[in-house]
């Protein structure tokens, strides 16, 4: 059995738009809504992404009642974000543009590592976050993105190895139990013996019910591998986790050219649904969120994907001002060595 390989992707250009409507039931303002619109452009490959996004929040329907001044409303109507992500190093950069004008009232001067920083130019400043370094500081490593290779050529052994590497080896008994639990789960879900042949396909089903505190937790999982001869040419996955009245379910299907994701979540008074459909050249996503019948949001995103000769940057220009956020995080939340 072998996986059908998707065509080599190279550099891809993603361009698209988004729209949303945020509704709030406010005891003073009544039922109000804020329309949101935006556009985005991203250049990426398997190891890096460079993206810029423009977004507009129209506060006109609530501006007067909420006491939002004209300057703030103007900023919210013309937001821009820029992001650079390097998956190989785990380093992310973000520039917040005019949104920083709303944040300059914070007393950032004198906070760990900020001394000497030119705060007046923050809207053009890049904020750097080294996720790998942060996780190491907290005692948990991220997968070594030799995983750029793993992402391009996934294998059960490779994913298991990277998952096991994330377990911090600090207590031999607890760590051994964690290693056993992970390997048993992989065996139950992904080993050859877990699959049963049904017609031309191979199917793995898994169900587990166990007590958690005073409730019962139920996990159900079914993975179908569509076969053409000896090649896996498509997948279909359905999975759910229930605990009391809370539930999350996922339905994923696809092949080398198309993909579909349908997810729903109910947790207390919060409910959310997400639906994504993508092809080699397009992506569409719809999301709805409702929280305690006080806040709701409907969100739509659509975009097109084309090959490009552009290469994503992995860091800001050499003359850009960069603030290392790892220093700020550890200055206010020190971690014991």
């Amino acid at each position: 059995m072998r996986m059908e390989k998707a065509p080599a992707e190279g550099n891809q250009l993603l361009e698209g738009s988004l729209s949303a409507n945020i509704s709030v039931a406010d005891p003073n303002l009544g039922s109000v809504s804020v329309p949101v619109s935006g556009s985005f452009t991203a250049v990426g490959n398997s190891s890096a992404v460079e993206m810029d996004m423009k977004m507009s929040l129209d506060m006109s329907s609530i501006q007067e009642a909420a006491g939002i001044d004209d300057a703030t409303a103007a900023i919210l109507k013309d937001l821009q974000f820029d992001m650079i992500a390097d998956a190989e190093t785990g380093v992310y950069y973000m520039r917040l543009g005019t949104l920083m004008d709303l944040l300059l009232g914070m007393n950032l001067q004198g906070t760990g590592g900020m001394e000497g920083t030119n705060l007046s130019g923050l809207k053009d400043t890049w904020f750097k976050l080294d996720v790998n370094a942060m996780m190491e500081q907290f005692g948990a490593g991220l997968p070594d993105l030799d995983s750029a290779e793993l992402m391009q050529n996934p294998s059960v052994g490779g994913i298991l190895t990277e998952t096991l590497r994330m377990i911090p080896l600090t207590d031999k008994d607890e760590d051994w139990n964690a290693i056993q639990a992970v390997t048993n789960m992989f065996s139950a879900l992904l080993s050859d013996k877990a699959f049963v042949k049904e017609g031309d396909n191979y199917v793995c089903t898994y169900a587990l019910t166990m007590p958690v505190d005073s409730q019962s937790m139920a996990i159900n999982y079914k993975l179908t591998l569509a076969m053409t001869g000896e090649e896996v040419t498509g997948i279909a996955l359905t999975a759910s986790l229930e605990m009391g009245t809370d539930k999350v379910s996922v339905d994923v299907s696809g092949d080398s050219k198309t993909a579909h994701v349908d997810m729903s979540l109910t947790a207390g008074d919060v409910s959310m649904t997400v639906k994504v459909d993508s092809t080699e050249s397009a992506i569409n996503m719809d999301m709805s969120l409702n929280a305690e019948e006080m806040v709701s949001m409907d969100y739509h995103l659509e975009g097109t994907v084309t090959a490009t000769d552009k290469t994503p940057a992995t860091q800001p220009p050499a003359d850009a001002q960069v603030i290392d956020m790892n220093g700020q995080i550890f200055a206010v939340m020190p971690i014991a060595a």
Side-chain angles (χ1 to χ4, degrees):
M1 183 189 301
R2 59 183 183 273
M3 293 292 293
E4 179 189 62
K5 279 189 175 289
E9 291 187 357
N11 294 325
Q12 302 286 312
L13 173 65
L14 172 62
E15 297 177 292
S17 61
L18 61 90
S19 61
N21 190 70
I22 304 170
S23 299
V24 180
D26 186 275
N28 299 316
L29 303 178
S31 180
V32 296
S33 63
V34 177
V36 180
S37 60
S39 62
F40 56 89
T41 301
V43 176
N45 52 40
S46 60
S47 60
V49 175
E50 179 182 6
M51 181 178 74
D52 66 77
M53 176 181 291
K54 296 179 175 62
M55 190 177 297
S56 175
L57 281 69
D58 185 353
M59 312 299 291
S60 58
S61 64
I62 64 170
Q63 180 177 345
E64 184 176 351
I68 300 173
D69 60 69
D70 290 342
T72 299
I75 290 172
L76 293 173
K77 205 165 185 176
D78 186 22
L79 297 174
Q80 181 167 348
F81 308 89
D82 299 296
M83 186 190 75
I84 295 172
D86 186 342
E88 290 191 335
T89 61
V91 175
Y92 296 78
Y93 298 89
M94 181 170 286
R95 182 169 59 181
L96 301 181
T98 54
L99 182 60
M100 287 307 303
D101 290 339
L102 295 179
L103 306 178
L104 286 176
M106 298 171 60
N107 182 22
L108 298 177
Q109 195 76 37
T111 333
M114 283 287 192
E115 292 82 354
T117 299
N118 176 18
L119 296 185
S120 64
L122 275 184
K123 68 180 181 181
D124 296 316
T125 295
W126 290 88
F127 294 88
K128 174 185 176 182
L129 182 65
D130 187 331
V131 178
N132 280 1
M134 184 173 71
M135 295 300 288
E136 288 173 6
Q137 186 80 8
F138 278 92
L142 285 183
D144 183 358
L145 283 173
D146 234 5
S147 300
E149 169 64 22
L150 183 61
M151 290 162 69
Q152 292 176 355
N153 300 291
S155 67
V156 173
I159 296 171
L160 175 58
T161 299
E162 294 298 335
T163 303
L164 291 174
R165 290 183 68 249
M166 296 177 69
I167 299 174
L169 300 179
T170 55
D171 182 286
K172 66 180 181 65
D173 295 325
E174 289 187 7
D175 297 340
W176 177 245
N177 290 336
I179 290 170
Q180 282 187 311
V182 169
T183 53
N184 288 341
M185 179 186 70
F186 269 74
S187 177
L189 300 181
L190 297 171
S191 68
D192 286 347
K193 67 181 181 181
F195 286 85
V196 176
K197 200 168 191 302
E198 295 184 4
D200 292 331
N201 302 329
Y202 284 90
V203 179
C204 170
T205 56
Y206 177 79
L208 173 67
T209 302
M210 60 183 293
V212 176
D213 296 329
S214 59
Q215 301 185 83
S216 176
M217 181 178 74
I219 299 173
N220 289 282
Y221 167 98
K222 181 178 180 180
L223 175 63
T224 301
L225 303 179
M227 306 295 298
T228 301
E230 289 296 312
E231 288 192 340
V232 179
T233 53
I235 68 164
L237 168 68
T238 58
S240 65
L241 185 152
E242 295 183 60
M243 187 182 306
T245 59
D246 298 342
K247 179 178 180 179
V248 58
S249 62
V250 179
D251 188 341
V252 179
S253 60
D255 52 34
S256 63
K257 298 182 183 298
T258 64
H260 170 81
V261 178
D262 206 337
M263 186 187 83
S264 66
L265 177 146
T266 302
D269 294 324
V270 177
S271 61
M272 181 177 72
T273 61
V274 178
K275 184 174 291 186
V276 181
D277 287 286
S278 66
T279 67
E280 290 182 301
S281 59
I283 181 170
N284 282 275
M285 183 175 100
D286 289 286
M287 181 178 75
S288 66
L289 172 69
N290 188 288
E292 298 183 342
E293 299 184 353
M294 292 188 64
V295 178
S296 64
M297 180 179 73
D298 294 308
Y299 175 91
H300 175 74
L301 176 148
E302 59 184 58
T304 58
V305 182
T306 56
T308 180
D309 57 4
K310 296 180 180 179
T311 301
T314 55
Q315 58 186 17
D319 60 350
Q321 177 170 265
V322 177
I323 294 178
D324 189 339
M325 294 307 296
N326 289 67
Q328 322 313 317
I329 293 170
F330 298 134
V332 298
M333 188 168 55
I335 307 299

